[in-house]
Amino acid sequence: SIRNTFCLVCQGPPVWHKNYPVAQGNRQSPIDIIPHQTSHDPGLGPITLNYDQCTSINITNNGHSVVVEFEDPDDRSVILGGPLDNPYRLKQFHFHWGGKGCHGSEHTVSGNSYASELHLVHWNAVKYKTFGEAATAPDGLAVLGIFLETGDDHRWLHMITDALYMVKFKGSVTDFKAFNPKCLLPSSLHYWTYLGSLTTPPLHESVIWIVLKEPIIVSEKQVHVFRMLLFTGEEEDERIRMENNFRPPQPLKGRKVRSSN
Ligand SMILES: N/C(=N\S(N)(=O)=O)N1CCCC1
Ligand SMILES: [Zn+2]
């Protein structure tokens, strides 16, 4: 079995197309965003994040990333506005990061990558009955991407990094209640948006991407804590450090990237 889908030694992005031909599709993610080639669309309104009734449940190591999952029985945490025709319900958030000193974001800006990238995954619960159904629909998911740039400590990211020792091994999970990801947002919600895909298998072309222009600042030490996580499970004799779990930019294939103001 593919032990982990990022590890270059095992089975990395270059071979995903064998099992997932959509990897070579026309709306794959991530992409390199070139700001002066994006089109400013005055019809693009601001996005709104209604996260106040947030109900995080747990934090887990799924063998590809560390994921904070949310209860989603109703529209208590939603993203709306911008390019979205409906409110999209928060399902989970997770991160992508690099190895020591190298970069780790998935989207790049004029070829430049950041140390890490946070993805807040939402689904269109107005049109679809389940997340799984939405995940295969062209307008099923909306992922908010936030860049993490190294600099000073981020006071709230500690709440995440302090919990990582509990989910070191693939398949581990621990309680993680009442965390509101609003504390991980930058001051500006200006964004780029384009039609793309999941960046890990099954790579469904079901994501409306909303990538914030302003990164949040976290310390190198905080990013380094993510690297204590393992791709491997407790029962495996070999321990493979979880790092470089990012897919490189994919061909734009003629897509337009729009910019909020
Ligand atoms: N690849 C993914 N999200 S991402 N990296 O495209 O935001 N997911 C796989 C299943 C649920 C979310
Ligand atoms: Zn992601």
Side-chain angles (χ1 to χ4, degrees), residues 12 20-21 27 32 37 54 59 70 82 89 98 100 161 181 205 207 219 224 233 249:
Y20 307 94
R27 58 172 280 189
D32 179 42
Q37 290 178 11
C54 233
I59 186 166
F70 288 80
R89 196 180 286 182
K100 190 147 179 49
T161 50
E205 296 189 326
V207 182
S219 67
H224 192 65

Side-chain angles (χ1 to χ4, degrees), residues 23-89:
Q24 298 175 332
N26 295 324
R27 58 172 280 189
Q28 288 291 293
S29 293
I31 59 169
D32 179 42
I33 297 168
I34 303 170
H36 64 269
Q37 290 178 11
T38 64
S39 44
H40 170 57
D41 180 345
L44 260 190
I47 54 168
T48 302
L49 300 170
N50 289 341
Y51 284 169
D52 293 342
Q53 308 303 320
C54 233
T55 44
S56 61
I57 308 170
N58 60 34
I59 186 166
T60 179
N61 174 340
N62 67 6
H64 313 293
S65 180
V66 58
V67 187
V68 173
E69 295 175 318
F70 288 80
E71 272 178 30
D72 61 347
D74 55 30
D75 273 358
R76 63 181 74 180
S77 317
V78 294
I79 182 173
L80 40 92
L84 306 174
D85 294 340
N86 300 123
Y88 282 61
R89 196 180 286 182

Side-chain angles (χ1 to χ4, degrees), residues 109-123:
V109 181
S110 300
N112 299 310
S113 49
Y114 289 89
S116 173
E117 188 172 330
L118 161 60
H119 289 158
L120 292 131
V121 181
H122 310 74
W123 62 287

